[in-house]
Amino acid sequence: MRTPRTFRRNLDDLKLRRRLKQAIAYSGLLGLIFLIAVWISYGFGAQLNNYAYDAMFRLYQPKPWKLDSVILAIDEATISWVDGGMMNIRRPLARALHLIDAVQPAPKAVAVDLILTDRRDPEVDRELAGVFRATPNLVLSSLILDDPLGWEEPRPEFARWAAAKGHVYAKPSDEDNVTRVIPLDKHVLTQQRWAIALEAFRLSRGGGTPLESPDDVEVAGTLIPFKRTDAGRLMRVRYLPPDRSVPRISVKALLEHPSRAQEFAGKVVFVGVTAASQVSDRLSTPYSFGATTTGIEIHAEAFETIVQRLFLTDVPLSWPPLFSLLLVVTAGLCFAYLPGWRAYAGAVVVLAAAVTGPYIFFTHQRVFPFAMPATAATLGIAASAAWQALIIRRDLRRAEAERARYQQAMHFVTHEMRTPLSAIQGSSELISRFALNEEKRQQMAQLINSESKRLARMVEIFLNVERLSAGQMELKHEEIPLKDMVQVCIERTRPLAERKHIGLKLEPINGDPLLCGDRELMEYACYNLLTNAVKYSPQRTHVTVSGRKENGHVLLAVKDQGIGMDSREVKKVFQKFYRTRKAEESGEAGTGIGLSIVQQIVEQHGGRIEVVSQPGIGSCFTLVLPAQN
Ligand code: ADP
């Protein structure tokens, strides 16, 4: 015997399962949204990240510090002032450097970004070499040559006085050409050159060879925490706002006012061309708004970045996805658990977190990509809100359908009960008003008795059905011999069938299959199928009942030669109060509730009901029920 179960438990299970299914679907949706956000931000987020980076860059500025560098600029004014322009720049440069070399305290280092690969006026070259010789910690720059591949070195008479040779390259972004990073070093063939910013820092601090690891470079006791990547070891430059940029003194200004050489005292000097007309690669920075700058200026700022250790490093790769997941989950929870406006207030908090999170990291010198959390929060909020709106709409529809069903049920009760009630009323009135003979009185009393019994039965069925659907009824577990039960139902139907000259036939049932369940309810189900078969069949036809055991199930089939149904009707017959048009026209009394009760009974017993029907040919209803072992 199976342990008794209650319908309430069944119903609770059902609700729980439905809620669980809903929760799984909702989590799945949020998971999908998260994946889409990750995909979008990896695919298309780079430029958004750049915009956000630049905006934060301008919004948050580190405290001003005393600058350690000065630029000796070969600007437009200098070039137009020198006879022969750039071609003859070496002499004024030599004189300017000579002035700078003489100041006290001496400059800490001098980094020169000029092409010194060709021979010019030997006398001037000698003068320049002489100045270089006297220049402390001189860094010269070299360019990369394509053909043949290699470093294009300054002439040996200059190079011999250089304490280091560096590069002056920058790395503009692929997306918008803004220079946010410089490569700390460049490799050509086997030769490595460090950025002149780094070399100037190293020499000015008396450092030895930089110590490299995959994650960082140590230079003169300062750890520069930028990883080596496929694109090189890229360092973010913490540019100064335009009103605080590295001071610039032109060669012309210095030569005209030699006393200004004092401004270079004790500083690191960056020497290079700043005249836009002379520079082939124009670079822009997060501050320049389309205006261009030059390599030497960028490297001077990079030098300041290293001196102040203002290293803007990436957060670990896993943080943006984790933060984004957290935002999606929080948005999901807000809409699942917070009512009304509170959910939207929660959404605003989620959005604010997505925007301010990267900014807070930025103020702590960590770069947190903006696109992923912003996309995740936006999509997460949109999806959660849409989902909850759908759920609310569906619940509303359900509640409306429930109310409609309830109204139908009330209608059924009042309608069905009116007939027995008026019979009882009429008979009792007759008895009390008139002096009836004994026989008549007996008849009336019998009528009152049978009608009130019918009424009681109807109330009982109606209540049972309501309790059944509310899951409040306990299901009895009795052993029911199939043959016996079918026989009882057939006998009960026989008078109805005889009135229409319909033959009721029970086909032999092999063995003695046993069912397990509530006998009263089972009989109701079987009787209902039989009366329907009789009701919806023309006179002088046959209704055949058959039963058998098959694969652990007991099958009970009721087959008629009646009006039948088309497939569209078959789909609807289990709905409460549904009747086919042909059934209505047949004149047979009915309410359309019987089959819905049968279906509930069968399903509560762990079985199912199947229908095969054809209009004008007949129907066969089969109950498939678990057999008693
Ligand atoms: P009722 O018989 O009181 O109308 P049911 O719920 O028992 O209610 O049946 C619902 C409808 O299904 C019937 O009105 C009828 O249209 C259709 N139906 C049920 N059984 C048969 C059958 N054996 N043959 C044809 N139609 C049927």
Side-chain angles (χ1 to χ4, degrees), residues 119-132:
R119 200 194 289 270
R120 294 206 186 142
D121 183 337
E123 196 192 318
V124 175
D125 283 359
R126 222 173 302 125
E127 189 185 337
L128 185 60
V131 172
F132 279 165

Side-chain angles (χ1 to χ4, degrees), residues 83-90 118 120:
D83 269 351
M86 264 316 273
M87 277 305 289
N88 291 336
I89 200 68
R90 286 185 191 176
D118 52 343
R120 294 206 186 142

Side-chain angles (χ1 to χ4, degrees), residues 58 61 239-246 285-289 301:
R58 293 191 285 262
Q61 290 162 8
Y239 293 103
L240 290 149
D243 57 332
R244 277 202 276 127
S245 57
V246 175
T285 72
Y287 276 124
S288 59
F289 294 104
E301 303 241 13

Side-chain angles (χ1 to χ4, degrees), residues 528 532 535-536 560 573 578-580 583 590-595 619:
N528 210 288
N532 275 352
K535 271 179 6 187
Y536 303 116
D560 62 46
V573 284
Y578 173 80
R579 302 197 75 203
T580 61
T591 55
I593 201 166
L595 279 181
S619 313

Side-chain angles (χ1 to χ4, degrees), residues 332-446:
L333 290 175
C334 280
F335 282 95
Y337 291 107
L338 296 181
W341 65 267
R342 286 187 184 84
Y344 288 92
V348 171
V349 172
V350 169
L351 260 186
V355 176
T356 51
Y359 181 73
I360 291 169
F361 274 100
F362 193 86
T363 61
H364 290 80
Q365 303 208 56
R366 304 305 298 270
V367 178
F368 197 109
F370 177 82
M372 196 184 288
T375 319
T378 315
L379 292 183
I381 289 168
S384 313
W387 172 276
Q388 293 305 331
L390 280 180
I391 294 280
I392 288 171
R393 198 137 16 110
R394 202 195 54 192
D395 285 354
L396 207 73
R397 260 206 317 268
R398 267 205 196 134
E400 270 168 11
E402 211 122 276
R403 211 188 48 197
R405 268 208 305 277
Y406 179 75
Q407 277 172 346
Q408 275 176 321
M410 287 317 287
H411 181 74
F412 161 74
V413 174
T414 47
H415 185 261
E416 284 300 296
M417 290 185 181
R418 204 175 295 147
T419 328
L421 266 178
S422 34
I424 293 169
Q425 233 172 22
S427 310
S428 54
E429 243 178 60
L430 283 178
I431 293 178
S432 59
R433 280 235 213 124
F434 305 104
L436 301 169
N437 61 28
E438 185 56 22
E439 192 193 347
K440 268 272 179 234
R441 221 172 47 82
Q442 198 74 34
Q443 243 178 10
M444 294 287 145
Q446 253 170 25

Side-chain angles (χ1 to χ4, degrees), residues 238-256:
R238 190 62 179 97
Y239 293 103
L240 290 149
D243 57 332
R244 277 202 276 127
S245 57
V246 175
R248 228 192 284 179
I249 299 166
S250 74
V251 171
K252 175 177 179 253
L254 180 60
L255 292 179
E256 282 176 348

Side-chain angles (χ1 to χ4, degrees), residues 106-379:
K108 283 192 232 150
V110 177
V112 180
D113 173 26
L114 265 191
I115 298 165
L116 298 168
T117 50
D118 52 343
R119 200 194 289 270
R120 294 206 186 142
D121 183 337
E123 196 192 318
V124 175
D125 283 359
R126 222 173 302 125
E127 189 185 337
L128 185 60
V131 172
F132 279 165
R133 183 182 178 184
T135 303
N137 292 330
L138 176 70
V139 184
L140 291 184
S141 59
S142 26
L143 294 172
I144 297 172
L145 274 182
D146 284 343
D147 193 17
L149 190 64
W151 288 103
E152 190 183 30
E153 303 289 2
R155 291 201 55 75
E157 60 264 38
F158 302 131
R160 62 185 292 209
W161 306 116
K165 280 176 275 180
H167 79 78
V168 76
Y169 287 98
K171 176 90 177 65
S173 136
D174 293 338
E175 291 89 26
D176 57 5
N177 223 29
V178 172
T179 303
R180 298 178 182 86
V181 294
I182 61 159
L184 278 178
D185 62 348
K186 281 264 185 194
H187 285 258
V188 175
L189 301 175
T190 54
Q191 246 185 344
Q192 180 188 25
R193 289 279 149 90
W194 293 96
I196 59 166
L198 184 140
E199 289 290 18
F201 173 76
R202 178 177 72 83
L203 293 169
S204 64
R205 268 67 185 164
T209 317
L211 286 178
E212 276 195 89
S213 85
D215 289 339
D216 46 44
V217 186
E218 197 188 323
V219 186
T222 296
L223 203 68
I224 308 179
F226 293 98
K227 286 191 173 66
R228 179 164 293 293
T229 65
D230 291 345
R233 196 187 288 278
L234 301 176
M235 181 183 88
R236 289 199 175 85
V237 182
R238 190 62 179 97
Y239 293 103
L240 290 149
D243 57 332
R244 277 202 276 127
S245 57
V246 175
R248 228 192 284 179
I249 299 166
S250 74
V251 171
K252 175 177 179 253
L254 180 60
L255 292 179
E256 282 176 348
H257 308 281
S259 61
R260 291 197 68 183
Q262 204 50 44
E263 292 174 40
F264 295 88
K267 301 277 185 192
V268 169
V269 183
F270 286 86
V271 185
V273 181
T274 60
S277 62
Q278 299 297 319
V279 183
S280 54
D281 51 341
R282 312 211 155 176
L283 304 161
S284 58
T285 72
Y287 276 124
S288 59
F289 294 104
T292 55
T293 181
T294 55
I296 193 70
E297 290 165 293
I298 288 178
H299 274 252
E301 303 241 13
F303 165 78
E304 291 291 339
T305 305
I306 300 174
V307 173
Q308 297 302 321
R309 301 180 187 196
L310 288 173
F311 301 124
L312 285 163
T313 52
D314 287 324
V315 294
L317 265 180
S318 59
W319 289 14
L322 285 177
F323 182 50
S324 306
L325 186 62
L326 184 75
L327 291 173
V328 173
V329 170
T330 314
L333 290 175
C334 280
F335 282 95
Y337 291 107
L338 296 181
W341 65 267
R342 286 187 184 84
Y344 288 92
V348 171
V349 172
V350 169
L351 260 186
V355 176
T356 51
Y359 181 73
I360 291 169
F361 274 100
F362 193 86
T363 61
H364 290 80
Q365 303 208 56
R366 304 305 298 270
V367 178
F368 197 109
F370 177 82
M372 196 184 288
T375 319
T378 315
L379 292 183

